[in-house]
Amino acid sequence: MEHIVTDMGCNASIDDREESKSEKAIKAAVLIQKWYRSRRARLEISRRYSLSIFQSIEYADEQDQAQLASFFTFMLERYASPDAVADTSISPSVSHEVDSYLTEYENIEVPDSYCGPRLSFPLTLADANALLHAFKNGQLLHAHYVLKLLCETRRVLKEKPNINLVSVSYSKEITICGDLHGNLDDLFLIFYKNGLPSEKKPYVFNGDFVDRGQNSMEILIILFAFLLIYPNDVHLNRGNHEDYVINLRYGFSNEVLRKYKVHAKVILYLLQDVFSWLPLATIINKKVLILHGGISDTTDLNFLYLLERNKLKSLMRPPKPEREEQGKEGAPTARPSTCAANEHVAGKTRRLSSSGFTELSCPNSQSGPTLKEWKQVMDILWSDPRMQNGCLPNKRRGGGCYFGPDTTARLFERYNLKLLIRSHEFKREGYELTHGGKVITIFSASNYYEEGSNKGAYIRLNPDLIPHFVQYQVRECTDKQNYLERMKTIERSALQILREKIFAHRSTLTEAFEKYDCDNTGNISVSDWAAAMESVLCLELPWRTLLSHLAKTDPDGKVDYMSCFHNMEIAQSTEEVQPALVETLCKYRKELEVIFNIMDEDHSGLISFDEFRKTWRIFSSHLGIDAYDASIDKLAQSIDYNKDDYIDFSEFLEAFHVVHKRDKKPT
C-alpha cells in the first residue's frame, strides 16, 4: 500500500513540475506575444504619423505653389521662354508661337559620337525597345529626337477628343496605371510583369507622369513613343502635374534643364503645349470613367467634352471673373441631332449623355479659357474623395474639391456609369476603394516618400469591368533592412522635413506660443502647444503624439516650447546675418532654387553677387518682404567660401538646409 502511495506521490510531484514548466512556457509565450503586439502597435503608430507628415507637408506645398503661381509664371515669361515670348498660358496666338518651334529639331545635328538610340519616324516597336534598353543603361535621347518626338506627339494628341472613348472587346483586358512621378523603375517593373503596350495589351496612363522622381523625361519619351506606335491602344490622361508652373517647383523643369542644357528651354516650351493637348479623361465601354483627380457637384462631362482644352496651359492661373462674361459666346453649347457618332471627327465634337453621343459643331473660339472652363478642369484634376456626403472645397491642396458618395451617385445616375477610377493620392498599398467600391484610387509610384514607404499598383480591367489589382514594389535597399529598420528610416525622414517646416516658421510659432504664456515662464500646456502648432502650420497632424519627438516637457507636463528649435540650425553658420532674413531664406529655399534655375543661362551652377541681389529683389518684392541691400550683401559674402565674388548655388541651398545640431558636419 505504501508502495502505491509512494508511487502516486512521485507521479504527482513530477506532474506538478511538468505543469509548472508548461505554465511558465505559456506565460512566457503570452508575454512575448504581448510585447510583440505592443511593438507592432507602436511601429504602426509611427508609420501612420510618418506618412501623415509626408502627405500633410506635400499638400501644404501645393497650397504654397498655388499662391506663388503668378510669380513663377512671371519669371518664365521674362526669363525662360525661347526669345522671351509673351504669356503663353492664355494668349490667343499661342498656336502660332508654338508652330515656329516645331521644326527646331531640324537645326540640331546629331554628332557621330552620339551612341544613344537613333529614331526613325514613323516609329516602330524596334524604336521603343531601343529606348527602353538605352534608358535602362542610363543613356539620354538626343535633343534632336526629343523635339521630333514632341512634334509628332503633339500632332497625334491634337486629333484626340477631350474624353477618349475606349471599347474593350471580350478577347482582351485593359491596364490602368496611376501616378508614376518620374519613377522609371516602376514603369519598367509594370512592363516586366504585365507586358509592353500593344494592340492586344492596351493601357491607360492616368496622369502625373512627371515631377518628384529623377526620370520624368524618360517616362514621357517612352509613353509618347508607344502612343505614336499604338495610337488606338495607348491612352494618356492629363494629371495636375502636367502643368508647366507646377513643374517649376517639383523638379521636372530642373531635370530637363540639367539633362538638355542648351536645348532645354525649347523642349520645355513645346512640352507646355503638348501637356495642354493631353486628353482629360477616358471612358471604357461607356461605364468606367477614368480621370486623374475626381469630380465635384458641378462636374459636367458634356461641357468637358466640348471645351478647347489646349487653352488651359496652366491651371495655376485662373482667369479673371470678367472673362466669364466675355467668353460666353465661345463657351461650348450643344444642339440637338439625330445622328450618333462613335468616333472623333476633325472639326466636330459630340455631346456625352447616358444614351450616347450626338454630333455637334465645335466653336472656333480664340479667346482664353472662361472661369467655368477652368473650374471644370481644375475639379477633375485636383479633387479627392471623402467618406461623408457633400462636396466641399479642397483647402488642404488649395484646389479642387472633396466629393462624397452622394456626389458620385448623382454623376453615375446622370451618365449611366458604374465605376470611377482615379489617381492623384498616395496610397500605402498602391490602391484603395471608397464610396462602396464605386471609386478606386490607383497609385503606381512605389517608395513615393521614402524607400519602403508604399507599394505601387495597377489595375487589369477585364471585359466584364471587374478590376484586378496587381501590387509591386521596386526594391533596392529594402531587401537589406528588416521591418523595424525600414520604419525607423521612414520616421527619421518624416520628422526631418517636419522640423525643417517648424524651423522655417520659428518667428511666427514663437509669437503663437507666447500668446499662451502669459507669465513668461517659457512653458505652456500640451493642449496650448498643440493648438499653437496647428494654428501656424495648418498641417492637421497628431501633435500630442508627436510631442516627444519635437519638444521637451517639465515634470509637471508643461511644454518647453522653445525646445522645438534647440536641436535645429541651418547647415552653415551665418551669425552676422539678421535672423529674420536667414529664416526667410530657409522657408523659401525651394522657390529660390526655381528662380535661380530659370536665370542660370549658362547652366554653370554659379551666381554672381549682382545676380543673387537681383534674384532676391525680384522675389522679395513679389512677397512683400523687407530686406536691405546691405543685409543681402553680407549674406552673399558669408557663403562665398572661396571669396571669388561668386556663389555656388548648390552650396547656397545646402547652407540654408535645416539640420540637427548633432548631425552637423565639422568644418
Side-chain angles (χ1 to χ4, degrees):
M1 188 71 172
E2 289 180 1
H3 176 72
I4 295 174
V5 172
T6 301
D7 280 349
M8 288 178 66
C10 291
N11 288 339
S13 177
I14 293 169
D15 289 344
D16 288 343
R17 287 197 299 271
E18 289 180 353
E19 184 177 351
S20 177
K21 289 180 180 179
S22 178
E23 287 178 356
K24 288 180 180 179
I26 292 172
K27 288 179 179 179
V30 169
L31 285 172
I32 293 171
Q33 193 174 56
K34 285 182 178 179
W35 175 87
Y36 177 77
R37 287 176 177 172
S38 174
R39 185 65 171 169
R40 293 289 291 192
R42 287 197 296 271
L43 287 173
E44 177 64 15
I45 292 171
S46 170
R47 181 191 67 80
R48 289 188 180 186
Y49 71 61
S50 296
L51 296 181
S52 294
I53 290 170
F54 281 125
Q55 194 165 54
S56 295
I57 291 179
E58 177 187 355
Y59 290 174
D61 282 348
E62 288 178 347
Q63 286 186 31
D64 293 342
Q65 173 70 34
Q67 293 168 4
L68 292 168
S70 60
F71 172 69
F72 286 151
T73 307
F74 162 78
M75 290 297 297
L76 270 182
E77 292 164 5
R78 187 165 181 177
Y79 296 104
S81 59
D83 302 326
V85 296
D87 177 10
T88 60
S89 63
I90 55 175
S91 171
S93 61
V94 66
S95 295
H96 302 296
E97 293 169 358
V98 171
D99 287 344
S100 65
Y101 291 98
L102 290 178
T103 57
E104 186 71 17
Y105 67 90
E106 295 176 355
N107 302 322
I108 302 173
E109 293 185 1
V110 182
D112 293 336
S113 59
Y114 170 69
C115 57
R118 295 175 181 266
L119 304 182
S120 299
F121 294 85
L123 295 182
T124 64
L125 184 57
D127 292 306
N129 283 323
L131 288 170
L132 292 172
H133 179 76
F135 294 157
K136 285 178 182 178
N137 290 292
Q139 292 179 310
L140 286 180
L141 181 65
H142 195 277
H144 171 90
Y145 299 115
V146 171
L147 289 169
K148 174 66 172 173
L149 179 73
L150 293 180
C151 294
E152 290 298 305
T153 301
R154 178 179 182 267
R155 178 184 59 78
V156 171
L157 289 176
K158 286 180 69 174
E159 296 300 315
K160 299 280 186 181
N162 292 348
I163 301 176
N164 275 317
L165 306 177
V166 179
S167 179
V168 180
S169 69
Y170 284 98
S171 62
K172 60 185 178 184
E173 297 179 319
I174 189 166
T175 302
I176 301 111
C177 300
D179 301 38
L180 287 166
H181 279 302
N183 291 342
L184 185 60
D185 287 340
D186 286 314
L187 184 61
F188 285 152
L189 188 55
I190 291 169
F191 286 165
Y192 173 78
K193 294 172 70 71
N194 195 62
L196 296 177
S198 67
E199 293 177 348
K200 295 182 179 180
K201 183 75 69 173
Y203 275 82
V204 177
F205 293 93
N206 199 25
D208 278 13
F209 319 123
V210 302
D211 282 332
R212 303 189 189 280
Q214 299 300 310
N215 298 105
S216 297
M217 196 65 209
E218 287 79 5
I219 285 178
L220 281 183
I221 290 169
I222 291 170
L223 296 185
F224 289 166
F226 277 111
L227 172 70
L228 295 180
I229 298 167
Y230 303 109
N232 298 319
D233 302 287
V234 173
H235 310 281
L236 308 180
N237 289 344
R238 185 176 183 177
N240 65 308
H241 278 262
E242 279 67 63
D243 184 309
Y244 73 97
V245 177
I246 291 285
N247 300 152
L248 279 170
R249 184 183 176 103
Y250 291 101
F252 178 52
S253 296
N254 193 27
E255 177 188 331
V256 177
L257 288 166
R258 185 179 72 252
K259 291 178 177 178
Y260 287 98
K261 303 188 186 310
V262 67
H263 304 296
K265 289 183 179 179
V266 176
I267 292 172
L268 286 171
Y269 186 57
L270 285 179
L271 277 168
Q272 289 182 29
D273 197 57
V274 171
F275 285 167
S276 73
W277 284 108
L278 286 167
L280 303 174
T282 300
I283 295 180
I284 299 176
N285 289 4
K286 300 184 181 180
K287 295 294 183 181
V288 179
L289 173 63
I290 306 172
L291 42 74
H292 181 72
I295 59 175
S296 73
D297 52 3
T298 61
T299 294
D300 186 338
L301 298 184
N302 298 329
F303 189 91
L304 284 166
Y305 198 90
L306 299 177
L307 62 80
E308 295 174 69
R309 66 183 184 271
N310 67 303
K311 293 190 296 185
L312 290 149
K313 292 292 185 291
S314 175
L315 294 173
M316 294 293 95
R317 298 192 68 196
K320 296 177 181 179
E322 54 264 29
R323 287 186 177 276
E324 182 70 12
E325 293 301 319
Q326 296 171 357
K328 277 185 179 178
E329 291 183 5
T333 54
R335 61 179 176 81
S337 172
T338 57
C339 178
N342 290 320
E343 65 275 344
H344 180 73
V345 181
K348 302 276 188 177
T349 56
R350 296 161 298 180
R351 181 173 180 272
L352 176 63
S353 70
S354 59
S355 59
F357 297 85
T358 307
E359 190 174 280
L360 294 166
S361 297
C362 180
N364 188 26
S365 170
Q366 289 296 315
S367 64
T370 65
L371 191 60
K372 181 178 180 181
E373 289 172 327
W374 171 84
K375 186 182 184 306
Q376 285 283 318
V377 177
M378 172 65 85
D379 285 346
I380 65 169
L381 298 191
W382 280 82
S383 295
D384 297 310
R386 69 178 203 150
M387 299 307 297
Q388 302 83 6
N389 282 334
C391 187
L392 301 174
N394 194 333
K395 294 181 178 179
R396 289 191 74 190
R397 289 189 186 269
C401 301
Y402 280 120
F403 63 99
D406 57 332
T407 306
T408 299
R410 283 195 295 271
L411 188 87
F412 281 19
E413 182 178 2
R414 180 178 179 184
Y415 298 106
N416 196 24
L417 300 169
K418 63 177 292 186
L419 188 64
L420 168 62
I421 298 176
R422 42 92 61 180
S423 302
H424 192 45
E425 275 189 292
F426 163 90
K427 296 300 174 186
R428 187 192 174 213
E429 296 301 318
Y431 71 94
E432 183 179 77
L433 279 68
T434 51
H435 296 184
K438 294 180 179 179
V439 174
I440 296 174
T441 298
I442 190 72
F443 193 82
S444 299
S446 67
N447 307 312
Y448 180 61
Y449 290 128
E450 185 66 50
E451 188 79 23
S453 63
N454 67 289
K455 297 175 183 177
Y458 58 87
I459 297 172
R460 287 208 297 256
L461 198 67
N462 66 22
D464 294 324
L465 305 182
I466 297 173
H468 172 66
F469 302 95
V470 181
Q471 296 170 292
Y472 56 86
Q473 189 165 27
V474 173
R475 298 184 180 275
E476 294 178 3
C477 301
T478 50
D479 282 340
K480 302 175 184 178
Q481 295 179 321
N482 59 36
Y483 182 77
L484 174 61
E485 290 171 334
R486 291 200 302 272
M487 289 301 102
K488 286 297 182 183
T489 300
I490 293 168
E491 181 185 47
R492 279 195 301 270
S493 180
L495 290 172
Q496 173 62 18
I497 64 169
L498 180 56
R499 290 184 182 115
E500 290 180 6
K501 194 86 170 176
I502 291 170
F503 190 88
H505 291 79
R506 178 172 179 164
S507 299
T508 315
L509 280 169
T510 301
E511 291 176 6
F513 293 145
E514 289 174 347
K515 289 180 181 179
Y516 291 102
D517 186 16
C518 300
D519 299 328
N520 296 320
T521 62
N523 297 320
I524 57 177
S525 68
V526 173
S527 59
D528 288 344
W529 177 84
M533 294 291 280
E534 184 58 33
S535 68
V536 173
L537 300 178
C538 303
L539 295 176
E540 298 182 15
L541 291 173
W543 295 111
R544 292 171 180 268
T545 303
L546 293 168
L547 173 60
S548 62
H549 298 284
L550 302 175
K552 296 178 180 178
T553 55
D554 65 14
D556 296 328
K558 297 282 189 177
V559 181
D560 174 4
Y561 53 82
M562 292 306 293
S563 65
C564 292
F565 317 111
H566 285 174
N567 292 324
M568 303 302 295
E569 64 178 9
I570 60 170
Q572 178 64 35
S573 177
T574 52
E575 287 86 355
E576 298 180 0
V577 183
Q578 61 187 60
L581 179 57
V582 173
E583 183 178 322
T584 302
L585 287 166
C586 291
K587 185 176 182 179
Y588 293 108
R589 280 176 68 250
K590 289 183 179 179
E591 288 75 14
L592 289 169
E593 182 179 13
V594 169
I595 299 167
F596 175 74
N597 286 328
I598 292 173
M599 297 180 69
D600 184 18
E601 294 287 343
D602 61 358
H603 312 291
S604 66
L606 298 175
I607 184 169
S608 70
F609 281 10
D610 286 340
E611 289 173 325
F612 180 71
R613 192 182 297 113
K614 181 181 179 182
T615 297
W616 180 251
R617 280 177 181 169
I618 293 170
F619 189 59
S620 60
S621 64
H622 181 81
L623 292 177
I625 298 170
D626 293 327
Y628 300 105
D629 284 350
S631 300
I632 297 300
D633 289 344
K634 188 177 290 186
L635 171 67
Q637 291 167 7
S638 72
I639 53 180
D640 177 19
Y641 304 121
N642 58 2
K643 306 305 177 186
D644 63 353
D645 293 334
Y646 279 88
I647 300 168
D648 184 318
F649 204 71
S650 62
E651 291 183 0
F652 166 80
L653 292 172
E654 185 59 31
F656 291 95
H657 180 67
V658 181
V659 297
H660 273 283
K661 287 182 179 178
R662 63 177 179 273
D663 294 338
K664 185 178 175 182
K665 296 179 180 179
T667 56

